[in-house]
Amino acid sequence: MAAATRRAIRVITLGNVEIQSNVPAPRSRPDYVIAEAKAWALNPTDIGHIDNLGGPGTIIGCDWSGVVTAVGENVTRFKPGDAVSGVCHGGNTVEPEDGAFTNIVISKELATLHKPDSLSFTEAASLGVGMATIGQAFYWVMKLRLPSLTISTEPSAGPALFVYGGSSATGSLAIQAAKQSGYKVYTACSPDNFDLVKSRGAEAWFDYNLPTCADDILATVTAASSSIGYILDCIGNESSARLCAAILSPSGGHYHSIKPPVPAVFKTLRPEDTAIATTALGYAMSGESFELPPGNVHPADPQQGEFAKEWAVLSEALIAAGKIKPHPVDVREGGLEGVLDAIADFRGNAPRGVKVVVAE
Ligand SMILES: NC(=O)c1ccc[n+]([C@@H]2O[C@H](COP(=O)([O-])OP(=O)(O)OC[C@H]3O[C@@H](n4cnc5c(N)ncnc54)[C@H](OP(=O)(O)O)[C@@H]3O)[C@@H](O)[C@H]2O)c1
C-alpha cells in the first residue's frame, strides 16, 4: 500500500528550510509519475527559491533520480519499477507538493527520463535541469537543428556556436548537444576546466579571465573561415554579455542568456535587429502555468509542453547512446540531511566544474 506521508525539505519562512516528516504523499495526477528517490542534485535556483522565489510550505529541489512506484492514467512511457531521473519545479507556489527534495517525488512524464544502465543514480540525478534548459534554449527558443545520434565528426558548414561558461553544469551538456546538432562549438571558461570542455567536444576553448579573450576567439574563428552565429550564455552577467556582444558575427545572430533577464549591455552594444537576444525560464517547459516571483503569473504554454515531450525522448536516446555525458558529479552521502548540508555548503562555496549530488 502506498505511504500516506513522506519526508521533505520545505520552506518555513523565506531564507529558512527544514526537513519535515508527515508531509502528505503526492496526489495522483494524470500526466505525472510518482517515484522513490535515490539521489538529488543541487542547482543555483534552489537557493533562489529558498531565499526569495518559493513560499512557505513549498518543497524545494529540482533534480532527482529514483524508481517509479506509480503512474498517472495518461502516462505511457513509464511503469512501476523503471529507473528514472527527472526535473521538478521546486519551490512552486502554484503546486507546493512538486519539489524534488523528498523521499517520494512527483514528476511530470515529459520531464522524466529513463536511466540507462550505464549511469549510476547519482550521475542520472545531475541531468534533469541541464537537459531541459538546453532543450528549451537551443531547440525551442533559438530553433537550432535538433541533435542527431549519427552526426559525430564533421560539423556542418555555416555559422559556429559559442557557449559562455562551458564548464557550468548547463554548459558542458550544451557543448555536446550542439555538437550533435552539427555545429562547430567554441567555449570559454577557466583554465582549470579546459580538459572538461575539451572532453565534451569543444573545437577550441578560451580563458574568459583574460582581457584578450574576445580578440583570441575572433582570431581563431576567423582563421577557420567561420563566424559566431549562435551564443548560449550560461553566466548572463555584464562581463559575459560584453564578450558575447563583441564576438557575435557583424552580420548578426542569436544570443540567448539562460540567466534572466538578458543583460541590458548586450542590446546597448548590439542594438541592430539582426542581433537577436533572448532568455527563458526552464519551468515553462512543463507547459503549465506558474508564478515567478509569487504573484507574477506565467501563462501555460501547451505548445512548449508538446515540444518538451519530444525533447525528453530525444534526450533519453542521446544519453543512452553516450552522445551526451553527465557533468562531473561531486557525490555526497546522507539522504535529505545530506541535502541540507550541501545547501549550506553551496551558499558559501558554489561548485566549479562539478554538480553536487547527494545519495539517498
Ligand atoms: N533559465 C533557466 O531556466 C536556467 C536553468 C539552469 C540554470 N540557470 C542559471 O544559469 C546559471 C548557470 O547554472 P549552472 O547550474 O549551469 O551553473 P554552475 O554549474 O553552478 O556553474 C558553475 C561554473 O560557472 C562558472 N562561473 C561561476 N561564476 C562565474 C562568473 N562570475 N563569471 C564567469 N563564470 C563563472 C565557473 O566556471 P569556471 O570555474 O570554469 O570559471 C563554474 O565552474 C545560474 O545562474 C542558474 O541559475 C537558469
Side-chain angles (χ1 to χ4, degrees):
M1 199 170 112
T5 60
R6 56 180 170 156
R7 302 178 77 226
I9 297 180
R10 271 172 146 179
V11 176
I12 310 308
T13 55
L14 286 182
N16 299 298
V17 283
E18 69 178 17
I19 300 173
Q20 294 184 342
S21 301
N22 295 322
V23 174
R27 66 192 198 280
S28 178
R29 287 189 254 161
D31 300 317
Y32 282 71
V33 306
I34 293 175
E36 182 187 328
K38 297 284 186 194
W40 306 269
L42 270 66
N43 287 281
T45 194
D46 300 331
I47 307 297
H49 277 78
I50 293 170
D51 291 347
N52 298 302
L53 303 171
T58 58
I59 298 174
I60 293 299
C62 300
D63 273 328
W64 66 281
S65 64
V67 176
V68 174
T69 55
V71 299
E73 64 202 56
N74 295 340
V75 170
T76 58
R77 289 171 46 236
F78 301 100
K79 60 183 187 317
D82 286 353
V84 295
S85 64
V87 53
C88 297
H89 185 156
N92 183 355
T93 52
V94 176
E95 285 285 5
E97 71 169 14
D98 278 2
F101 295 162
T102 167
N103 61 321
I104 303 176
V105 177
I106 182 156
S107 177
K108 199 162 187 184
E109 180 181 28
L110 60 72
T112 307
L113 306 176
H114 286 281
K115 181 188 83 63
D117 291 343
S118 55
L119 296 186
S120 63
F121 279 105
T122 48
E123 288 173 315
S126 73
L127 289 165
V129 168
M131 290 305 294
T133 304
I134 60 175
Q136 179 187 54
F138 281 161
Y139 307 111
W140 178 251
V141 178
M142 298 172 80
K143 308 291 184 210
L144 302 186
R145 288 187 296 273
L146 281 168
S148 149
L149 293 175
T150 52
I151 292 174
S152 58
T153 48
E154 275 308 307
S156 312
L161 185 146
F162 178 77
V163 177
Y164 190 103
S167 62
S168 65
T170 312
S172 82
L173 301 177
I175 291 168
Q176 299 171 80
K179 197 173 175 208
Q180 289 305 123
S181 291
Y183 297 94
K184 213 176 244 193
V185 184
Y186 298 89
T187 191
C189 61
S190 293
D192 283 353
N193 292 315
F194 282 173
D195 286 346
L196 169 65
V197 298
K198 181 181 174 187
S199 74
R200 296 317 194 248
E203 187 78 16
W205 39 91
F206 301 87
D207 180 358
Y208 49 30
N209 304 296
L210 296 178
T212 56
C213 186
D215 290 342
D216 296 344
I217 294 166
L218 286 172
T220 300
V221 172
T222 306
S225 305
S226 189
S227 62
I228 300 291
Y230 312 99
I231 296 178
L232 188 74
D233 185 351
C234 296
I235 304 301
N237 62 19
E238 170 153 349
S239 67
S240 68
R242 276 186 187 280
L243 182 137
C244 294
I247 65 169
L248 187 70
S249 171
S251 62
H254 196 146
Y255 165 85
H256 183 92
S257 170
I258 66 166
K259 187 165 172 59
V262 171
V265 70
F266 183 86
K267 281 314 289 179
T268 303
L269 295 170
R270 298 300 300 267
E272 69 272 26
D273 290 346
T274 51
I276 299 164
T278 54
T279 187
L281 288 167
Y283 305 109
M285 284 281 272
S286 72
E288 298 181 11
S289 175
F290 62 97
E291 295 187 5
L292 202 81
N296 182 26
V297 177
H298 297 252
D301 185 349
Q303 285 182 314
Q304 190 168 172
E306 286 304 310
F307 165 72
K309 286 183 192 168
E310 283 173 44
W311 176 242
V313 173
L314 186 50
S315 294
E316 280 184 353
L318 289 161
I319 293 162
K323 302 296 183 188
I324 293 189
K325 296 183 176 61
H327 200 52
V329 288
D330 169 2
V331 179
R332 318 272 176 96
E333 301 296 329
L336 291 176
E337 284 78 4
V339 174
L340 275 189
D341 291 343
I343 289 170
D345 207 21
F346 205 93
R347 282 183 186 282
N349 186 21
R352 296 189 87 100
V354 292
K355 187 122 178 166
V356 174
V357 180
V358 182
E360 169 215 19

